[in-house]
């Protein structure tokens, strides 16, 4: 499943700086995660880098973009092609 940034976002840029997929962008007033790019850092880290970096814990699983671990791995594999 992709991740979602909630309205509690303070637009501090910490998550965007850490995202290896470049899936996070500024969309005033808060940041947004592109579900087509987000791989939840599968095969890169033990947990999503954006969640670790977020100082206000405003990044959650996106219920509208459910993906299995296998789908996330395939997306990660295909991003390098």
């Amino acid at each position: 499943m992709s991740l979602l940034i909630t309205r509690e976002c303070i637009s501090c840029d910490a998550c965007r700086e850490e995202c290896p997929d470049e899936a996070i962008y500024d969309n005033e007033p808060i940041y947004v995660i592109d579900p087509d790019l987000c791989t939840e850092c599968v095969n890169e880290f033990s947990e999503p880098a954006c969640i670790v970096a977020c100082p206000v814990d405003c990044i959650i699983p996106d219920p509208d973009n459910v993906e299995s671990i296998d789908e996330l791995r395939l997306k990660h594999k295909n991003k390098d092609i």
Side-chain angles (χ1 to χ4, degrees):
M1 139 177 341
S2 178
L3 299 171
L4 173 73
I5 298 175
T6 65
R7 295 188 187 275
E8 286 77 28
C9 176
I10 58 172
S11 298
C12 68
D13 209 36
C15 61
R16 189 171 72 169
E17 298 272 325
E18 295 299 320
C19 180
D21 298 321
E22 298 181 0
I24 302 173
Y25 58 94
D26 191 4
N27 188 32
E28 294 291 330
I30 64 172
Y31 283 19
V32 174
I33 298 176
D34 183 336
D36 293 330
L37 298 176
C38 179
T39 64
E40 291 188 44
C41 298
V42 168
N43 296 340
E44 300 208 31
F45 302 106
S46 60
E47 59 186 309
C50 60
I51 290 176
V52 173
C54 181
V56 293
D57 298 323
C58 68
I59 302 173
I60 61 171
D62 184 351
D64 294 330
N65 290 293
V66 178
E67 295 173 294
S68 70
I69 293 295
D70 289 336
E71 289 171 317
L72 291 169
R73 285 186 177 133
L74 180 61
K75 189 190 303 187
H76 173 78
K77 180 180 171 185
N78 289 335
K79 80 174 187 168
D80 295 329
I81 296 176

